[in-house]
Amino acid sequence: DKTLRAMRRGGIFDQLGCGFHRYSTDRQWLVPHFEKMLYDQALCVLACTEAFRAGGDGEHGQTAREVLEYVLRDLHAPEGGFYAAEDADSEGEEGLFYLWGMDEVRRLLDPEGARFAAGVFGIEEGGNFVDPMTGKRTGLNILRRVDSEATAEGHGIPGEGFRRRVETVRLRLLAARTVRIRPRRDEKILADWNGLMIAATARAACVLNEPGYLDAARAAADFIRIRMQTPDGRLLHRWCGGEPAVTGNLDDYAFVIWGLIELYEAGFVARDLRMALELQRIVMSRFRDPEGGFFFTPDDGEKLLTRMKESHDGAVPSGNAVTLMNLIRLGRMTGDPMMEGEAAALIRAFAEPVRRQPSAHAQWLIALEMLASPSCEVVIAGRPEARDTRELIDIVRRRRYPRPVLLFRSEGETAPEITELAPFTREMRAVNGRAAAYVCSGFSCKRPVTDPQELAAIIATGGKDEDQQRR
């Protein structure tokens, strides 16, 4: 919570146009490397939405919205995918696009507005940005948010009026910044980074109740399906200027599968779950190491001196760790014990490095927590747009821990596709014309319930009965 707040208020966050810069170079989160990477936006959105769901703090939800505002405005390709990044440099200088002098602020705002902006965004007469080559102040400022309550009190402005005034100043400075020479945009569309962004936008659509985010996630998934898959279903790594190329690696598959799982749970389009399962089968057939774990490259890829097989997280999560998470979730969604068997084998393959350096294996710990928690699968049977259906779905989505797996069986269809992918849902129907929820755990399902509060009480126990809880 503290770190996310510091990041949002520091110079690592673009206070005018939103979005996170690549990393900070100081302890105060003030001076960033100004490049903006798609994967950072995705991972920060996931972190903020989880923090928001955990504590309901509106600031984290707002940060997620602001990051997505930037992504959808500046990194969203017309074809549907997401561009890779924006550079740090413009006019030959790093960060110049984002820096402000006090004199320029005065020219854009009236005297009181300039004083207000300086107080809110920490703008100093001598500048707070130090030239990394000379070590001297340049007279320019990186914008950051200082204590808003103290600033509001100092200006004698009530909370809502203060926020409106900040927004007015932000938009005025942002408009002025648009005429500057912008850093170059890297317009490659990468499968792995798009998978992360699909996961982030789909989850934010549910947590923040923003259907537009789901539309963006759907467009990106369709882009990958149509333009970055070969006829035999294999993924390609990148698309640029109309040309897809480069054999997909483990991260491409793992992150796209993650995105598809989130997309299914957000929109309940069975095709997304089917594609996730098909890609997972390719991972198991083409990337598996007989001694355990998955290689970064496929067995029919470019011939290398050695095939890498890594466990630790880097700038993005470990492909093997995300694969572990995917196996657990797909196994529970489909009722296929083979998937969890694969997950157990994957854990054994990397148990020692995870035990030795847990802080380098954060994504493994997330997946291990998921595996250690009692399984809880919830199937909602009902009509898609009916109020009683949405009420049951909302109950499940509000539950954070243990986080249930959520499936939907549409009432009125003779043979819903989900019953083929998850055969245990075949006999699950609405009850007396009302949407019903079936809560399952350990391959055993409880009787259906139609009352939202009864459903909430059941999933509060993870779907276990009293005897299971005692054990």
Side-chain angles (χ1 to χ4, degrees):
D1 179 78
K2 179 180 179 180
T3 299
L4 289 174
R5 290 178 187 276
M7 290 169 62
R8 169 60 185 84
R9 297 176 185 184
I12 192 173
F13 189 80
D14 179 358
Q15 299 295 337
L16 301 183
C18 304
F20 284 98
H21 297 296
R22 191 169 188 179
Y23 53 80
S24 180
T25 64
D26 65 346
R27 294 171 63 88
Q28 290 72 41
W29 300 100
L30 173 63
V31 183
H33 174 45
F34 288 92
E35 194 171 13
K36 287 180 174 180
M37 312 300 295
L38 180 65
Y39 60 78
D40 282 327
Q41 316 310 317
L43 294 169
C44 286
V45 167
L46 286 166
C48 288
T49 53
E50 287 303 289
F52 175 73
R53 177 156 51 183
D57 191 303
E59 181 172 345
H60 299 315
Q62 182 61 25
T63 300
R65 287 187 175 91
E66 289 170 342
V67 174
L68 290 171
E69 173 190 330
Y70 159 69
V71 171
L72 295 175
R73 184 189 65 230
D74 293 336
L75 295 181
H76 202 194
E79 298 86 354
F82 296 100
Y83 295 133
E86 285 193 296
D87 284 350
D89 299 357
S90 58
E91 302 181 68
E93 294 186 38
E94 180 173 345
L96 185 62
F97 181 73
Y98 301 99
L99 300 174
W100 294 84
M102 191 65 215
D103 288 344
E104 184 179 8
V105 173
R106 288 194 187 98
R107 287 196 299 271
L108 293 169
L109 303 171
D110 59 57
E112 176 54 31
R115 284 193 295 272
F116 179 82
V120 169
F121 293 115
I123 303 171
E124 304 172 12
E125 287 287 353
N128 61 25
F129 180 64
V130 175
D131 188 309
M133 301 298 293
T134 66
K136 297 180 179 179
R137 289 181 180 264
T138 63
L140 299 175
N141 289 272
I142 303 169
L143 302 189
R144 68 190 190 281
R145 285 297 300 271
V146 299
D147 191 327
S148 57
E149 289 186 10
T151 306
E153 185 178 340
H155 285 271
I157 306 171
E160 186 57 36
F162 175 79
R163 285 188 287 273
R164 285 198 299 268
R165 191 164 184 185
V166 170
E167 184 65 4
T168 298
V169 170
R170 182 186 77 87
L171 292 174
R172 185 73 178 271
L173 296 179
L174 180 62
R177 198 178 75 175
T178 59
V179 302
R180 296 179 179 180
I181 296 175
R182 192 179 185 91
R184 187 183 68 86
R185 183 169 61 191
D186 182 346
E187 296 190 349
K188 292 192 300 292
I189 294 177
L190 304 178
D192 50 352
W193 297 2
N194 271 255
L196 292 175
M197 201 69 235
I198 292 167
T201 48
R203 190 178 299 181
C206 295
V207 174
L208 303 177
N209 193 26
E210 293 283 356
Y213 299 156
L214 182 58
D215 294 339
R218 161 74 46 225
D222 287 344
F223 179 90
I224 291 174
R225 185 179 2 254
I226 295 168
R227 300 172 187 256
M228 299 184 72
Q229 269 194 290
T230 62
D232 61 351
R234 303 284 291 275
L235 287 179
L236 296 171
H237 174 61
R238 73 110 173 105
W239 184 93
C240 187
E243 178 194 5
V246 185
T247 300
N249 57 53
L250 178 63
D251 286 4
D252 293 315
Y253 284 86
F255 298 171
V256 169
I257 292 168
W258 182 5
L260 290 167
I261 293 172
E262 297 286 347
L263 187 56
Y264 170 76
E265 288 197 322
F268 304 120
V269 177
R271 181 181 62 185
D272 298 320
L273 181 57
R274 180 181 295 279
M275 182 176 173
L277 289 165
E278 290 170 350
L279 293 178
Q280 187 60 52
R281 283 191 280 271
I282 293 173
V283 170
M284 291 188 287
S285 66
R286 291 295 185 179
F287 291 83
R288 188 200 303 271
D289 179 357
E291 298 182 2
F294 296 95
F295 290 112
F296 185 72
T297 55
D299 57 4
D300 59 349
E302 181 182 358
K303 299 302 179 184
L304 305 171
L305 293 175
T306 183
R307 291 173 72 192
M308 295 173 58
K309 187 180 71 171
E310 293 184 339
S311 65
H312 61 80
D313 298 324
V316 295
S318 157
N320 270 285
V322 173
T323 297
L324 172 59
M325 182 179 70
N326 293 340
L327 285 167
I328 297 167
R329 294 178 73 180
L330 290 173
R332 293 179 177 180
M333 295 175 90
T334 61
D336 184 353
M338 183 272 291
M339 291 281 189
E340 289 210 19
E342 291 283 349
L346 186 51
I347 291 168
R348 289 193 294 271
F350 292 104
E352 187 52 37
V354 175
R355 184 182 298 114
R356 192 168 56 245
Q357 289 185 300
S359 62
H361 295 83
Q363 192 66 42
W364 284 94
L365 302 184
I366 293 171
L368 286 168
E369 180 187 41
M370 184 184 302
L371 188 63
S373 303
S375 70
C376 181
E377 300 82 48
V378 182
V379 182
I380 308 296
R383 299 191 178 278
E385 301 305 321
R387 181 177 176 180
D388 56 352
T389 299
R390 306 312 305 178
E391 288 175 345
L392 294 176
I393 290 171
D394 288 344
I395 287 291
V396 180
R397 285 178 173 165
R398 286 200 295 268
R399 178 71 184 174
R400 179 180 178 269
Y401 183 84
R403 185 182 175 195
V405 164
L406 180 59
L407 299 103
F408 178 69
R409 189 195 191 286
S410 180
E411 190 71 9
E413 294 183 30
T414 305
E417 189 175 358
I418 190 63
T419 61
E420 179 185 346
L421 303 175
F424 72 94
T425 66
R426 281 180 185 150
E427 302 306 318
M428 295 177 176
R429 300 282 200 280
V431 175
N432 297 325
R434 296 182 63 188
Y438 296 77
V439 181
C440 309
S441 181
F443 302 102
S444 175
C445 299
K446 301 175 76 68
R447 64 176 179 80
V449 298
T450 58
D451 179 69
Q453 297 313 311
E454 188 176 356
L455 173 61
I458 293 172
I459 63 174
T461 68
K464 298 182 293 182
D465 59 28
E466 293 181 3
D467 288 339
Q468 288 176 306
Q469 291 182 65
R470 283 193 292 270
R471 286 198 296 272

